[in-house]
Amino acid sequence: MDTQATRGEIVIDFDHVEKTFPGHRAVQDLDFSITQGEIVSVVGVTGCGKSTMFNLALGLFPPTTGVVRVQGHDPFTEFDWFRRKVAVVFQDSRLLPWRTALQNVCVGMKFAGIDKAGWETTAREWLDRLGLSGRENAYPHQLSGGQRQRVSLARAFAVDPELILCDESFSALDEITAKSLRAEFVELVRAGGKTGVVITHSIAEALSLGNRVLVMRAPGLLADDVTLPADATPEQTASLRERILAAMDPAGQVTATTGAELLAVRAMSTA
Ligand SMILES: Nc1ncnc2c1ncn2[C@@H]1O[C@H](COP(=O)(O)OP(=O)(O)OP(=O)(O)O)[C@@H](O)[C@H]1O
Ligand SMILES: [Mg+2]
C-alpha cells in the first residue's frame, strides 16, 4: 500500500551504511535518519561522500553493508515503488535541450508514471509558481541558468514527491538568485508538507535553509548533526558556523575548493 508519510515519521534511514567502490570506500558507517517535514542541509568537503549518500537514497546502487530505507522501503530493490515519491534536482538543470520548458516538466511526469491528461495543466501551474509564466515555450538555451534551474525545480515539484533531494542545486547561481530560489524552495517544501534534503558547499546556505545541518567528513562519515534554532541570534549563528567548520575540517587542513569559504568563516570568527 502507498502510505504517505506523516509528520515526524522517518523518511530516510541510514543504518551503519558502508559503500565501497573497487579500491575506494566512499561511505563508511553512515548512520542517521531524517523525519517527515524536515529541511536538512548536508555539508562536507569535496569527495567526502555526499552525492554517494544521495545515490544510495535514490536506489542507484545498494550499500556494501548496512541498511538504507526510504519511507521504510529499500530504494534499490524496490526502485519502482519510489517513482513519484522522490525527486532530485542537480547543480546543472539536466533539461532535455530539444524540449521546451513545458515539455521538460511534462517529461518528468511521464517518467513518474502520471496520467497524461493532467500533465499540461500541472506543468503550467508549476512553471507559473516558479515565476516562469510566459516562458513555457522557451527551450533551455533560451533561458538563463537561474531560469533553467526554476524549470528543474518545477519538474521536481510537478510529480508531487514526498521527498526532494537537491545536490548543489543553488550552487552555480549568483548569490541573489540563489537566495530567492532557496527561499522559494523552502516555502514550497513547507507548503506542500514535504521533506527536503539539500547538499551544499556553503555553510551560510546550510544555516539559512532549514532546521538541521548534517556535517559529513571523509570517508562518508557523519561528523556532526546540528539542530538549528528557529530565530538564531548573530552570535548563535557565528558559533554554529564555527562548530560546523570544525566538524568538516577538524585538522584545519582544507585549503582548496571549499577552502575559500572555510577561510572566510575562520577569518570572521577570529576577527
Ligand atoms: N561510481 C563510483 N566509482 C568509484 N568511486 C566513486 C564513485 N562515485 C563516487 N566515488 C568516489 O567516492 C568518493 C565520494 O564521492 P562523492 O561524489 O560522494 O563526493 P561528494 O561529497 O559528493 O563530493 P563533491 O562535493 O565534490 O560533489 C570520491 O572519492 C569519489 O571519487
Ligand atoms: Mg557531490
Side-chain angles (χ1 to χ4, degrees):
M1 192 177 72
D2 285 6
T3 46
Q4 185 150 13
T6 50
R7 203 166 184 85
E9 271 181 25
I10 291 177
V11 174
I12 301 183
D13 193 19
F14 274 58
D15 186 3
H16 299 285
V17 170
E18 176 173 322
K19 179 66 193 174
T20 306
F21 296 110
H24 184 81
R25 188 190 286 154
V27 159
Q28 177 191 312
D29 201 29
L30 192 54
D31 198 70
F32 68 91
S33 58
I34 290 173
T35 56
Q36 207 280 330
E38 284 195 291
I39 300 179
V40 177
S41 303
V42 180
V43 295
V45 297
T46 185
C48 75
K50 304 180 295 296
S51 296
T52 303
M53 183 264 275
F54 262 22
N55 291 337
L56 286 160
L58 286 166
L60 299 188
F61 40 66
T64 308
T65 59
V67 178
V68 176
R69 288 282 179 269
V70 177
Q71 282 191 250
H73 291 252
D74 181 335
F76 182 71
T77 59
E78 300 174 77
F79 197 78
D80 277 345
W81 192 86
F82 288 93
R83 276 150 55 103
R84 289 196 74 161
K85 296 199 173 58
V86 185
V88 60
V89 182
F90 297 96
Q91 180 169 7
D92 54 337
S93 56
R94 302 201 185 182
L95 301 176
L96 300 174
W98 61 90
R99 300 271 195 211
T100 63
L102 186 75
Q103 290 166 340
N104 265 287
V105 179
C106 290
V107 166
M109 288 185 271
K110 180 181 179 182
F111 285 136
I114 293 171
D115 185 26
K116 189 174 182 177
W119 292 355
E120 185 167 337
T121 311
T122 307
R124 286 189 186 280
E125 188 187 311
W126 277 103
L127 287 169
D128 185 34
R129 285 176 84 165
L130 280 148
L132 286 173
S133 123
R135 305 309 309 274
E136 295 89 347
N137 296 324
Y139 287 88
H141 75 274
Q142 297 171 319
L143 297 170
S144 69
Q147 289 169 332
R148 284 198 291 273
Q149 212 49 339
R150 286 177 179 277
V151 178
S152 181
L153 282 168
R155 183 177 57 186
F157 278 100
V159 305
D160 196 23
E162 292 176 32
L163 171 64
I164 300 197
L165 305 176
C166 295
D167 194 344
E168 299 184 44
S169 308
F170 312 106
S171 306
L173 305 170
D174 67 87
E175 187 42 41
I176 291 167
T177 306
K179 193 174 173 189
S180 66
L181 213 47
R182 273 199 304 264
E184 287 171 58
F185 172 78
V186 168
E187 171 63 27
L188 291 171
V189 170
R190 293 225 164 101
K194 304 187 183 308
T195 307
V197 188
V198 179
I199 291 177
T200 173
H201 273 134
S202 162
I203 299 175
E205 179 171 78
L207 287 168
S208 68
L209 256 168
N211 57 304
R212 190 174 158 203
V213 181
L214 296 180
V215 187
M216 284 179 69
R217 190 154 75 211
L221 282 163
L222 193 63
D224 203 351
D225 184 345
V226 182
T227 301
L228 304 177
D231 291 304
T233 62
E235 293 74 26
Q236 280 176 313
T237 304
S239 123
L240 288 171
R241 278 172 184 271
E242 194 55 32
R243 173 175 160 186
I244 291 168
L245 178 65
M248 278 170 81
D249 183 30
Q253 287 172 336
V254 176
T255 54
T257 313
T258 52
E261 177 166 22
L262 298 183
L263 292 172
V265 171
R266 208 164 256 145
M268 274 172 53
S269 50
T270 52

